[in-house]
Amino acid sequence: MALKPEALAGALPVTYQLIEGEDRRQVEGGVIDEGLLSIYVNGESLATMMCSPLQLEALTVGFLYNEVVIESAAEIALLQLNQSRSVADVILTRDEVKLPRRMILTTGCGGGVTGQVLSESYPALESDFVAAPALITRLMRQLQGAARLYNAVRGVHTAVLGDETGVLVSAEDVGRHNAVDKVAGQALLDDIATRDRILLTSGRISSEMLGKARRMAAPIVASRTAPTSITLELAEAWNICVIGYVRQGGMRVYTHGWRLGLDG
């Protein structure tokens, strides 16, 4: 797929050799851009992460929220990125702040790191929110439409927050955890409630991912792929409906199927 580097932020041009059967040819295409972001809070180093260099303000805010450093964007007096957009300096409206241990986050499948002990972090989500299976399918189709980087060069995850009106917030990142943090941060910045909304992701639903969903008070979490065993244990305890393998033809509902109108 041809790619003009100036036409698609978050991707870089690359030339590669394409082999299709006996046919071999050179293609001008693109790959996902990956960079480093270090977050400082009140002058203290909190985390360094590999990420896509897009929506970095949202990523910073969402990460601080999901790590329970802040409760709202109003607690941030200043958020400033350096010229190379590799460092985010955050000054809070209060001097006293208890930060989690310093974290280094990669974008690998096992790279989602959290400072919280998830099983002890939250009580069960008190919500009567329900949705029709058709809405989950429709939102997943809209997630695919919002995945502009993935559709162009692959190699990136997408996350969206939605309700019956459609997608409210979307984000892409080379890391699936980062994509969810970006969604949370953009929702905070735009004053969009995450409670009783549906969180959808293109990636596996790990326990850390579900912890972010619980922090956002999202009663339904859906993915095109699978959850893990600990995810399902947490989802049962937290009253969250976990759905995997959402396709046009169906889906797998693992926990709290009553949120989709199912028995049991």
Side-chain angles (χ1 to χ4, degrees):
M1 178 178 293
L3 172 74
K4 294 181 179 180
E6 68 275 12
L8 190 62
L12 295 176
V14 66
T15 301
Y16 59 88
Q17 299 291 328
L18 179 64
I19 300 175
E20 293 180 325
E22 297 299 319
D23 181 35
R24 301 184 181 191
R25 65 184 187 276
Q26 183 170 290
V27 175
E28 300 295 330
V31 293
I32 287 297
D33 190 7
E34 183 178 28
L36 194 70
L37 178 68
S38 295
I39 299 176
Y40 289 79
V41 178
N42 288 1
E44 184 176 346
S45 177
L46 171 61
T48 295
M49 62 185 70
M50 302 302 297
C51 60
S52 296
L54 302 169
Q55 294 176 278
L56 296 182
E57 292 85 355
L59 174 58
T60 301
V61 173
F63 183 75
L64 294 180
Y65 177 75
N66 283 332
E67 288 300 319
V68 202
V69 176
I70 62 172
E71 292 295 330
S72 73
E75 296 179 43
I76 298 176
L78 175 69
L79 195 170
Q80 181 173 308
L81 291 165
N82 66 345
Q83 187 172 3
S84 63
R85 296 179 66 80
S86 61
V87 175
D89 278 310
V90 179
I91 304 299
L92 300 182
T93 55
R94 63 187 189 278
D95 294 330
E96 295 296 324
V97 57
K98 183 177 181 180
L99 298 179
R101 62 180 175 84
R102 185 177 183 275
M103 291 168 278
I104 299 176
L105 293 84
T106 70
T107 56
C109 291
V113 179
T114 177
Q116 304 177 61
V117 180
L118 287 174
S119 62
E120 302 173 359
S121 297
Y122 304 107
L125 180 60
E126 294 184 5
S127 168
D128 296 327
F129 182 85
V130 296
L135 175 58
I136 308 302
T137 302
R138 176 162 60 88
L139 288 173
M140 186 60 73
R141 188 165 57 248
Q142 291 178 7
L143 176 148
Q144 293 173 287
R148 62 180 189 88
L149 274 173
Y150 177 82
N151 293 330
V153 296
R154 303 295 192 261
V156 68
H157 285 290
T158 308
V160 302
L161 185 73
D163 62 11
E164 65 280 355
T165 67
V167 169
L168 303 170
V169 182
S170 67
E172 290 182 275
D173 198 280
V174 65
R176 54 195 168 87
H177 302 82
N178 295 341
V180 173
D181 281 338
K182 286 180 178 180
V183 165
Q186 197 63 56
L188 283 174
L189 291 170
D190 293 341
D191 198 25
I192 296 173
T194 59
R195 175 174 289 276
D196 286 349
R197 296 285 171 55
I198 301 168
L199 180 65
L200 300 97
T201 174
S202 61
R204 185 179 71 252
I205 308 174
S206 64
S207 56
E208 298 95 339
M209 294 277 278
L210 195 77
K212 295 177 188 293
R214 175 61 186 89
R215 172 68 170 156
M216 297 164 66
I220 298 178
V221 181
S223 171
R224 284 188 55 80
T225 59
T228 66
S229 61
I230 296 179
T231 293
L232 298 187
E233 292 178 17
L234 291 172
E236 287 287 3
W238 287 342
N239 207 17
I240 295 175
C241 175
V242 169
I243 307 167
Y245 297 98
V246 180
R247 302 289 191 272
Q248 189 61 39
M251 63 192 70
R252 301 180 187 178
V253 182
Y254 292 92
T255 59
H256 295 287
W258 62 268
R259 292 199 183 276
L260 294 187
L262 306 178
D263 295 331

